[in-house]
Amino acid sequence: MGKIELHNITYVYGKGAPYEIKALDDVTLSFEEGKIIGLIGHTGSGKSTLVQMLNGLLKPDSGKVLLDGKDIWEEPKKIRDVRFKVGLVMQYPEYQLFDETVESDIAFGPKNMGMNEEDIVKAVREAAQFAGLKEKHLKKSPFDLSGGQKRRAALAGVIAMGPSVLVLDEPAAGLDPGARRRILTRIKDYQRQSGTTVIIVSHSMEDMAMYCDTVVVMNHGRVTMTGTPAEVFSRADELLSQGLDVPAITKVARALREKGVDIGLDIYTVNFAAHRLLGEEV
Amino acid sequence: MRSDIVFGQYCEGSSFLHKLDPRWKIIFVFSYIVGLFLAKNIFAFALMTLSIILLWVLSGIRAKILIKGLRPLLFIIAFTAIINIFWFKGETPLLPDSWFFQIYLEGIINALLIVLRVAVLVTGTSILLTYTTTPIALTDGIEQLLAPLAKIKVPVHEFSMMMTIALRFIPTLIEETDKIMSAQKARGSDFSQGSLARRAKALVPVLVPLFISAFRRAEDLATAMECRCYTGGAGRTRMNVLHSTWRDAVMLVAIAAFIAGIVLLNIFAPGYVFAM
């Protein structure tokens, strides 16, 4: 049993209107507990819609979402509890910051949960630490932070709720390479320490290859592939035909094979490629 | 969540009415409204009905949309109709004298005519303007009609630019509101439960980011406009120059004929004279 399971989810935007769009078409998926799962697909493939199904921001037209084996829409009144368990960091989350200080903004979620003052302070400190924010940042206005810091403050705002599943929609979009690496490393470390199930939506194949245990590929509202990064990236032709890319190193491996040096097609990180080239066991 | 709202009521199309010059359309609408209010007897009302059918055919808009447009007014229409039926003192009583209230034939006719007039007024103006003219074309039309006011230092161009920008950003801001609301809901905000004060308070985390992003957008837009050397209306040429065509001439004649017809019928046609 997965931590979160989707069963035959269908969702249509603008139902009945001439511009009706089927965003999700009979999607069945299982997200394994304690893993980092990557969700890739080109723009409009239904990733962001799927992500909003997981914490009940959107209600599927048909199908079920199971969290720990329980249908999240069984009691629609208690959907808020689901949102505390499945923390969602939306795209460009820095635009959700609103409070006077970073500290009180991070405390917004825990306050909504009804935590007591002491626990809130503790949760905020821990979340800020995970997100790599220093003590001096907490007293500042969120609008005085840099872009990358704002993003991490928003991330901390979700982590502070202590969700058992953390869902991130394009967490590194629009950040410079340094900030990008910092935020993804923070997420990976957080996952390792807390055992949280993490689901990351991204366009970047390199990031997916580096950080994910499982990769799910979506196209036109359907799941077209699932597997380990090695499994998925070895099917480069299919990915390319779906308008997606593969990591640069995978391309190198393919080019090498064409030239007669076969190091396998399941290459997706530079380290891995180096080991193979040197003939070492990985 | 709110993605099914289409801003304005513009219906895509390429009918006769869609192709009219927005400047003329605004003039037509005002003339048409005047015509509607001049109508005094049943024959004039018949002409009114004919005119609305003609407009509908010319617009190529589905009847379903027009009826849907009337729905919000249903209550007001019904209310005026009922008031008229019960309060109108006519000459032909319909109920026996022993009843404690009376209804007159004239009252019923009067009510029907009022309902007809309101329905035609709303449907006619929306067919002529909102359904067949894009909001942008409309502001363009208004700007050019008011252009003479610039002579007495009224900043006509600036007002119309403000209006155009406001219209342009309504869908964007709705989308943005949706996104921020989702983000705060994901952190446990609850907009649908609790007392009024609590719900109002729950909007703060939405409004603050929304305003900040609106100001950011405004600044970006101002910079972008300055980069393209925008300095206001003086000496600025337009990409889409409005042209009057034979269609506007035809419509002008038709509207003039409509008003003339109403006036003539008022004077010469016999029959029940509308009493309000």
Side-chain angles (χ1 to χ4, degrees), chain A residues 158-215:
Chain A
V158 174
I159 289 180
M161 303 189 304
S164 56
V165 181
L166 183 63
V167 188
L168 305 122
D169 195 350
E170 304 260 11
L175 296 181
D176 62 67
R180 195 180 180 89
R181 219 166 21 231
R182 270 197 295 282
I183 198 161
L184 289 170
T185 312
R186 289 285 169 189
I187 293 166
K188 180 118 189 164
D189 289 348
Y190 170 70
Q191 191 274 335
R192 260 199 219 122
Q193 288 174 40
S194 63
T196 311
T197 309
V198 174
I199 300 168
I200 304 180
V201 174
S202 176
H203 275 126
S204 162
M205 299 300 150
E206 260 82 15
D207 292 348
M208 288 291 166
M210 288 272 284
Y211 297 98
C212 297
D213 302 309
T214 311
V215 175

XYZ file of all heavy atoms in Angstrom, chain A residues 158-215:
440
model
N 5.351 25.620 5.177
C 4.638 24.345 5.004
C 5.264 23.257 5.875
O 4.551 22.486 6.526
C 4.608 23.931 3.516
C 4.000 22.554 3.349
C 3.817 24.955 2.709
N 6.587 23.240 5.909
C 7.273 22.228 6.722
C 6.882 22.359 8.189
O 6.754 21.368 8.908
C 8.819 22.354 6.561
C 9.236 21.888 5.162
C 9.542 21.537 7.623
C 10.725 21.975 4.905
N 6.637 23.606 8.640
C 6.312 23.857 10.050
C 5.046 23.122 10.487
O 4.835 22.884 11.671
C 6.152 25.351 10.285
N 4.195 22.772 9.529
C 2.975 22.049 9.893
C 3.262 20.570 10.154
O 2.380 19.820 10.535
C 1.924 22.184 8.789
C 1.577 23.632 8.478
S 0.159 23.800 7.359
C 0.647 22.861 5.959
N 4.509 20.168 9.901
C 4.882 18.772 10.135
C 4.088 17.775 9.311
O 3.589 16.780 9.834
N 3.965 18.033 8.004
C 3.170 17.120 7.173
C 3.874 15.781 6.998
O 5.099 15.718 7.061
C 3.085 17.861 5.836
C 4.316 18.695 5.777
C 4.605 19.099 7.199
N 3.105 14.710 6.800
C 3.746 13.416 6.567
C 4.006 13.203 5.085
O 4.712 12.294 4.687
C 2.899 12.281 7.150
O 1.607 12.317 6.620
N 3.397 14.059 4.262
C 3.719 14.066 2.840
C 3.999 15.515 2.473
O 3.232 16.407 2.835
C 2.547 13.562 1.974
C 2.952 13.558 0.504
C 2.094 12.183 2.405
N 5.107 15.753 1.770
C 5.436 17.112 1.342
C 5.396 17.143 -0.181
O 6.103 16.392 -0.839
C 6.824 17.491 1.862
C 7.300 18.913 1.555
C 6.405 19.946 2.213
C 8.740 19.106 2.020
N 4.518 17.987 -0.712
C 4.382 18.065 -2.165
C 4.899 19.416 -2.618
O 4.501 20.451 -2.081
C 2.907 17.918 -2.588
C 2.806 17.815 -4.095
C 2.278 16.708 -1.924
N 5.802 19.425 -3.599
C 6.392 20.685 -4.061
C 6.180 20.836 -5.552
O 6.605 19.982 -6.334
C 7.883 20.708 -3.752
C 8.235 20.459 -2.293
C 9.153 19.270 -2.170
C 8.866 21.681 -1.683
N 5.508 21.919 -5.942
C 5.282 22.167 -7.359
C 6.385 23.102 -7.854
O 6.414 24.268 -7.487
C 3.897 22.792 -7.551
C 3.429 22.742 -8.996
O 4.265 22.395 -9.859
O 2.253 23.035 -9.249
N 7.274 22.583 -8.668
C 8.390 23.365 -9.218
C 9.122 24.174 -8.149
O 9.184 25.408 -8.236
C 7.857 24.346 -10.279
C 7.098 23.682 -11.383
C 7.934 23.499 -12.643
O 9.163 23.702 -12.559
O 7.377 23.129 -13.662
N 9.685 23.506 -7.150
C 10.283 24.261 -6.037
C 11.471 25.121 -6.454
O 11.788 26.091 -5.782
C 10.731 23.168 -5.063
C 10.871 21.936 -5.882
C 9.846 22.061 -6.979
N 12.121 24.780 -7.560
C 13.338 25.520 -7.914
C 13.148 26.435 -9.112
O 14.097 27.040 -9.586
C 14.467 24.536 -8.189
N 11.903 26.560 -9.583
C 11.671 27.356 -10.791
C 12.113 28.799 -10.609
O 11.837 29.420 -9.590
C 10.192 27.321 -11.168
N 12.841 29.317 -11.578
C 13.206 30.723 -11.571
C 14.320 31.108 -10.620
O 14.585 32.283 -10.431
N 14.957 30.121 -9.986
C 16.064 30.443 -9.077
C 17.388 30.275 -9.811
O 17.498 29.503 -10.753
C 16.032 29.513 -7.860
C 14.828 29.619 -6.932
C 14.977 28.644 -5.779
C 14.680 31.035 -6.410
N 18.418 31.000 -9.347
C 19.730 30.836 -9.970
C 20.308 29.492 -9.517
O 19.847 28.908 -8.539
C 20.651 32.011 -9.624
C 20.905 32.103 -8.143
O 21.570 31.190 -7.604
O 20.422 33.063 -7.516
N 21.328 28.978 -10.247
C 21.816 27.610 -9.963
C 22.186 27.386 -8.505
O 21.902 26.319 -7.955
C 23.043 27.487 -10.862
C 22.797 28.441 -11.972
C 22.001 29.574 -11.394
N 22.774 28.397 -7.868
C 23.170 28.239 -6.467
C 21.961 28.033 -5.572
O 21.892 27.077 -4.799
N 20.991 28.929 -5.713
C 19.783 28.865 -4.897
C 19.021 27.573 -5.184
O 18.432 26.958 -4.295
C 18.892 30.068 -5.197
N 19.062 27.151 -6.443
C 18.403 25.947 -6.885
C 18.957 24.733 -6.140
O 18.211 23.942 -5.571
C 18.719 25.825 -8.380
C 17.877 24.881 -9.108
C 18.279 24.837 -10.584
N 17.388 23.898 -11.182
C 16.223 24.235 -11.686
N 15.849 25.477 -11.751
N 15.423 23.304 -12.139
N 20.306 24.641 -6.141
C 20.938 23.513 -5.484
C 20.653 23.555 -3.989
O 20.345 22.540 -3.376
C 22.449 23.552 -5.739
C 23.051 22.167 -5.969
C 24.431 22.249 -6.547
N 25.019 23.539 -6.301
C 25.590 24.357 -7.209
N 25.693 24.040 -8.340
N 26.073 25.517 -6.951
N 20.724 24.761 -3.412
C 20.495 24.879 -1.972
C 19.117 24.378 -1.591
O 18.965 23.586 -0.672
C 20.648 26.343 -1.533
C 22.069 26.706 -1.131
C 22.103 27.989 -0.342
N 21.682 29.149 -1.118
C 22.455 29.764 -2.002
N 23.685 29.339 -2.228
N 22.018 30.807 -2.675
N 18.103 24.800 -2.323
C 16.747 24.445 -1.908
C 16.506 22.943 -2.097
O 15.919 22.283 -1.241
C 15.682 25.317 -2.620
C 14.366 25.229 -1.848
C 15.437 24.908 -4.055
C 13.405 26.343 -2.143
N 17.019 22.385 -3.193
C 16.792 20.957 -3.426
C 17.552 20.097 -2.423
O 17.044 19.079 -1.950
C 17.175 20.592 -4.861
C 16.205 21.138 -5.916
C 16.767 20.955 -7.313
C 14.840 20.476 -5.802
N 18.791 20.545 -2.088
C 19.554 19.808 -1.089
C 18.851 19.851 0.263
O 18.775 18.848 0.971
C 20.975 20.404 -0.950
O 21.506 20.566 -2.249
C 21.876 19.501 -0.147
N 18.313 21.038 0.594
C 17.557 21.179 1.843
C 16.392 20.194 1.878
O 16.114 19.569 2.892
C 16.993 22.600 1.973
C 18.028 23.640 2.241
C 18.479 23.562 3.669
N 19.653 24.380 3.882
C 20.366 24.372 4.987
N 20.030 23.561 5.966
N 21.406 25.130 5.108
N 15.705 20.092 0.773
C 14.540 19.201 0.710
C 14.974 17.755 0.897
O 14.373 16.990 1.653
C 13.788 19.382 -0.637
C 13.152 20.766 -0.696
C 12.723 18.309 -0.809
C 12.693 21.184 -2.075
N 16.054 17.401 0.212
C 16.549 16.023 0.314
C 16.976 15.701 1.749
O 16.630 14.652 2.288
C 17.724 15.826 -0.648
C 18.315 14.442 -0.623
C 18.193 13.762 -1.965
C 18.601 12.296 -1.857
N 18.150 11.520 -3.005
N 17.701 16.640 2.375
C 18.139 16.426 3.756
C 16.945 16.294 4.690
O 16.911 15.433 5.567
C 19.010 17.600 4.236
C 20.369 17.600 3.542
O 20.687 16.580 2.898
O 21.082 18.622 3.642
N 15.973 17.168 4.461
C 14.776 17.139 5.301
C 14.092 15.778 5.173
O 13.687 15.176 6.167
C 13.822 18.251 4.878
C 12.457 18.155 5.517
C 12.289 18.409 6.879
C 11.339 17.797 4.773
C 11.043 18.316 7.472
C 10.089 17.700 5.360
C 9.956 17.961 6.714
O 8.725 17.857 7.302
N 14.021 15.297 3.940
C 13.378 14.004 3.695
C 14.114 12.891 4.432
O 13.513 12.028 5.064
C 13.342 13.748 2.184
C 12.473 12.576 1.769
C 13.219 11.264 1.817
O 14.437 11.229 1.716
N 12.476 10.179 1.992
N 15.435 12.937 4.356
C 16.238 11.895 5.004
C 16.029 11.885 6.513
O 15.882 10.854 7.133
C 17.714 12.132 4.710
C 18.176 11.226 3.602
C 19.697 11.099 3.590
N 20.111 11.087 2.217
C 20.964 11.954 1.674
N 21.514 12.888 2.419
N 21.280 11.862 0.419
N 16.025 13.084 7.089
C 15.932 13.166 8.547
C 14.542 12.881 9.071
O 14.369 12.325 10.139
C 16.373 14.547 9.013
C 17.869 14.735 8.884
C 18.265 16.157 9.223
O 17.744 16.751 10.153
N 19.185 16.708 8.455
N 13.523 13.287 8.318
C 12.173 13.174 8.858
C 11.426 11.954 8.331
O 10.394 11.567 8.874
C 11.378 14.430 8.499
O 11.270 14.525 7.090
N 11.924 11.358 7.253
C 11.233 10.200 6.693
C 9.939 10.558 5.981
O 9.114 9.702 5.671
N 9.771 11.853 5.722
C 8.573 12.314 5.019
C 8.563 11.793 3.581
O 9.612 11.642 2.969
C 8.583 13.859 4.964
O 8.850 14.341 6.263
C 7.276 14.410 4.465
N 7.372 11.521 3.078
C 7.238 11.208 1.666
C 7.256 12.541 0.912
O 6.525 13.454 1.272
C 5.903 10.503 1.405
O 5.777 9.412 2.317
C 5.806 10.014 -0.025
N 8.112 12.655 -0.101
C 8.219 13.920 -0.816
C 7.874 13.715 -2.289
O 8.335 12.768 -2.917
C 9.649 14.514 -0.686
C 9.797 15.765 -1.550
C 9.965 14.840 0.758
N 7.027 14.584 -2.799
C 6.670 14.525 -4.214
C 7.081 15.852 -4.843
O 6.669 16.917 -4.384
C 5.155 14.297 -4.385
C 4.764 12.975 -3.716
C 4.774 14.300 -5.860
C 3.282 12.773 -3.558
N 7.944 15.794 -5.850
C 8.445 17.016 -6.486
C 7.999 17.070 -7.943
O 8.188 16.112 -8.686
C 9.988 17.078 -6.461
C 10.502 16.963 -5.024
C 10.490 18.369 -7.089
C 12.014 17.010 -4.933
N 7.396 18.172 -8.325
C 7.084 18.401 -9.725
C 8.209 19.232 -10.305
O 8.626 20.211 -9.686
C 5.763 19.180 -9.873
C 5.514 19.544 -11.329
C 4.608 18.382 -9.316
N 8.724 18.849 -11.462
C 9.807 19.634 -12.043
C 9.896 19.456 -13.542
O 9.389 18.501 -14.112
C 11.130 19.241 -11.400
O 12.184 19.931 -12.015
N 10.535 20.438 -14.171
C 10.827 20.328 -15.596
C 12.254 19.861 -15.800
O 12.622 19.447 -16.883
C 10.703 21.705 -16.259
C 9.317 22.025 -16.662
N 8.671 23.155 -16.271
C 8.446 21.340 -17.413
C 7.460 23.146 -16.772
N 7.287 22.072 -17.468
N 13.043 20.008 -14.738
C 14.465 19.767 -14.898
C 14.805 18.293 -14.739
O 14.679 17.716 -13.663
C 15.243 20.597 -13.872
O 16.536 20.066 -13.746
N 15.243 17.682 -15.818
C 15.578 16.262 -15.787
C 16.792 16.014 -14.892
O 16.862 15.012 -14.195
C 15.894 15.778 -17.195
C 14.744 15.934 -18.122
S 13.328 14.988 -17.541
C 12.020 15.988 -18.177
N 17.742 16.960 -14.919
C 18.939 16.812 -14.093
C 18.540 16.728 -12.616
O 19.005 15.872 -11.885
C 19.890 17.990 -14.301
C 21.040 17.701 -15.244
C 20.629 17.844 -16.686
O 19.555 18.428 -16.926
O 21.349 17.363 -17.581
N 17.653 17.640 -12.205
C 17.220 17.636 -10.810
C 16.551 16.317 -10.452
O 16.800 15.733 -9.398
C 16.230 18.784 -10.548
C 16.912 20.139 -10.648
O 18.155 20.148 -10.689
O 16.208 21.158 -10.694
N 15.690 15.866 -11.334
C 14.973 14.619 -11.101
C 15.956 13.471 -10.923
O 15.837 12.654 -10.016
C 14.070 14.310 -12.301
C 12.890 15.218 -12.396
S 11.807 14.837 -11.033
C 10.723 16.203 -11.040
N 16.925 13.428 -11.833
C 17.907 12.343 -11.801
C 18.704 12.372 -10.509
O 18.988 11.343 -9.907
C 18.839 12.464 -13.007
N 19.025 13.591 -10.059
C 19.855 13.741 -8.871
C 19.130 13.385 -7.587
O 19.698 12.805 -6.681
C 20.330 15.202 -8.744
C 21.373 15.617 -9.740
S 22.994 15.266 -9.123
C 23.173 16.592 -7.931
N 17.880 13.799 -7.487
C 17.245 13.789 -6.178
C 16.155 12.733 -5.971
O 15.761 12.487 -4.849
C 16.654 15.174 -5.870
C 17.700 16.258 -5.775
C 17.975 17.093 -6.852
C 18.438 16.424 -4.607
C 18.951 18.078 -6.768
C 19.411 17.401 -4.510
C 19.675 18.226 -5.594
O 20.630 19.187 -5.502
N 15.635 12.147 -7.046
C 14.439 11.305 -6.880
C 14.744 9.812 -6.819
O 15.684 9.331 -7.437
C 13.459 11.556 -8.010
S 12.881 13.237 -8.000
N 13.896 9.096 -6.067
C 13.978 7.641 -6.021
C 13.114 7.034 -7.125
O 13.419 5.984 -7.657
C 13.475 7.120 -4.668
C 14.268 7.718 -3.526
O 15.509 7.663 -3.586
O 13.643 8.264 -2.593
N 11.986 7.702 -7.389
C 11.051 7.219 -8.398
C 10.671 8.385 -9.286
O 10.586 9.516 -8.819
C 9.764 6.682 -7.727
O 10.121 5.802 -6.678
C 8.881 5.956 -8.721
N 10.452 8.108 -10.557
C 10.041 9.163 -11.473
C 8.723 8.756 -12.130
O 8.560 7.615 -12.547
C 11.119 9.415 -12.556
C 10.631 10.438 -13.574
C 12.410 9.894 -11.915
